[in-house]
Amino acid sequence: MKKYIFLTPAIGNMGGSQMFVSNKCKFLQDRGWKVDVFFYQDFDVVLENLKEYRSNFIKELCYPFYYLTKNIINNIIDLLGNQVCNANYDEIVIETHLYHLAYWGEMLANKIGGIHILYPLEEKTYHLTKKEADFFEYKLKRWECLNGYRKTLLRFMGEYYKKEYEAYIYEANPICSNVVAKIENRCSFPKCDYTVLSVGRLEKPYVKTMLNEIKIFTTKYSSVKFNIIFIGASADGSVEDYIKDLFVKVCNVNIILLGFLFPIPEDLIKQCDVGIAISNSVLASAELGVPTISIDAQDYMALGVYGVTTTNRFLREQEPQIPISDLLEDVYLNKTFYTLNDRTSGMENEVDIALKVHLDFLEKGTHCKTYFDVMSV
């Protein structure tokens, strides 16, 4: 019997990481793994197969371990470890999704004799100390750092990046774009000439830049009636209030805030003329043939129209920096962007294929039961 433990920020609300965890839980359970998910952000759980983990809320996991006393740290590790101490597992894997959770994962693996896989899903850029960089190098060289794209490593390691790390690159997509379904679309919108769609959590750093750029674009074309649809929300509603205030005097714009919507009706997305998103949220509209502007996670400018002028969804390579408003105008005026085909057929099979890559990664590791001295960081 095998055990898989996730340490992740949230299973509630709806976002890319929640969908990824949902997909991977199902994939693992279908193959006989026993799965547990621990989290520290207490939101309503939308995804049905994650509801069984609602009791695994541990608030203290929101803190880097070095903010807490040794007694509290030990209590949390004991609490996590108790989930496996009474069972005889042949293999135990812990997967962590954030920089600070990686240390918790390493301590837990040390206690229960598991394998700790670091799979960073966050979009922040950190400035590591030398000791912190040593920890991530240790994980990388033991084949215990998944999602090791070169761009990810460059961003993550910063000044401590070494060319030799490229020998340990293992690309595995956190597949989470299967949020669209052929279900009845019960959403009705005001009549308009043009519809702009944003998919993604509204707390993300690029959002306010995107909003201001949308305002520039819609103000320039004041004779055009726009619907601006937002699928996603902020935890406290503050960004929604900001959006309403920003557009309150823009008379040619209807703001439509749908919140966390799952699944997203396919027909809703197909009504839209252009999408704007970052990371894997780009795929929700792009895979249905809607021209979708992909945003750079560092400068918040447009990378391009995904699948047409860029293949990147997170960081730019050679693409020019383009203000979002300029690219919105290009898409509005230039119908050549409307050449994408619907690529959603076979999505369920694609999820399994992508997640098999994750499982295959476990075979590359050393499986040596030695661990980094986290307390030395």
Side-chain angles (χ1 to χ4, degrees), residues 94-250:
I94 300 106
E95 178 176 312
T96 57
H97 293 158
L98 296 183
Y99 162 81
H100 81 274
L101 288 175
Y103 299 116
W104 289 108
E106 192 75 0
M107 288 187 287
L108 176 60
N110 191 5
K111 178 178 176 62
I112 63 179
I115 301 165
H116 168 221
I117 302 297
L118 168 60
Y119 189 42
L121 298 180
E122 57 201 321
E123 297 167 3
K124 292 181 181 178
T125 299
Y126 289 95
H127 299 287
L128 303 181
T129 65
K130 178 62 170 64
K131 195 66 177 179
E132 289 170 334
D134 288 345
F135 169 59
F136 292 107
E137 178 179 300
Y138 175 85
K139 299 300 289 180
L140 190 66
K141 289 186 174 181
R142 288 164 55 90
W143 293 101
E144 292 177 353
C145 186
L146 192 53
N147 197 22
Y149 292 82
R150 181 176 180 273
K151 286 187 292 183
T152 303
L153 292 174
L154 276 167
R155 181 174 62 91
F156 201 68
M157 300 298 286
E159 63 183 294
Y160 299 109
Y161 180 82
K162 300 175 184 177
K163 181 74 173 175
E164 66 189 78
Y165 294 164
E166 294 177 20
Y168 301 94
I169 286 175
Y170 188 93
E171 298 184 0
N173 181 25
I175 190 155
C176 57
S177 60
N178 55 323
V179 295
V180 180
K182 295 180 185 292
I183 60 171
E184 181 184 357
N185 176 20
R186 297 182 179 179
C187 302
S188 60
F189 308 123
K191 288 186 178 180
C192 70
D193 304 309
Y194 198 78
T195 300
V196 179
L197 172 69
S198 164
V199 177
R201 288 185 295 108
L202 295 180
E203 293 105 336
K204 292 198 173 189
Y206 77 92
V207 167
K208 288 193 176 179
T209 298
M210 175 190 72
L211 293 171
N212 288 316
E213 291 292 304
I214 292 173
K215 185 177 180 181
I216 291 170
F217 167 63
T218 54
T219 302
K220 181 173 182 178
Y221 290 90
S222 58
S223 63
V224 178
K225 192 67 176 178
F226 293 95
N227 282 347
I228 314 296
I229 300 174
F230 296 90
I231 298 177
S234 62
D236 60 2
S238 60
V239 182
E240 288 88 334
D241 291 340
Y242 177 85
I243 293 170
K244 293 172 187 175
D245 290 342
L246 185 66
F247 286 93
V248 68
K249 294 183 179 179
V250 185

Side-chain angles (χ1 to χ4, degrees), residues 21-79:
V21 171
S22 171
N23 285 335
K24 194 162 181 177
C25 283
K26 181 179 184 302
F27 177 85
L28 291 166
Q29 288 167 334
D30 287 348
R31 285 153 183 79
W33 289 73
K34 299 294 183 182
V35 179
D36 253 311
V37 185
F38 294 90
F39 61 99
Y40 59 82
Q41 293 178 346
D42 193 15
F43 304 126
D44 289 338
V45 181
V46 176
L47 294 164
E48 195 64 35
N49 71 322
L50 296 183
K51 290 182 178 179
E52 65 178 289
Y53 308 116
R54 284 180 291 195
S55 62
N56 287 353
F57 170 72
I58 301 178
K59 182 180 180 180
E60 290 80 5
L61 288 177
C62 73
Y63 301 109
F65 77 94
Y66 43 77
Y67 285 5
L68 305 174
T69 66
K70 192 168 184 178
N71 187 50
I72 293 175
I73 292 169
N74 289 336
N75 287 341
I76 294 169
I77 296 301
D78 286 344
L79 178 62

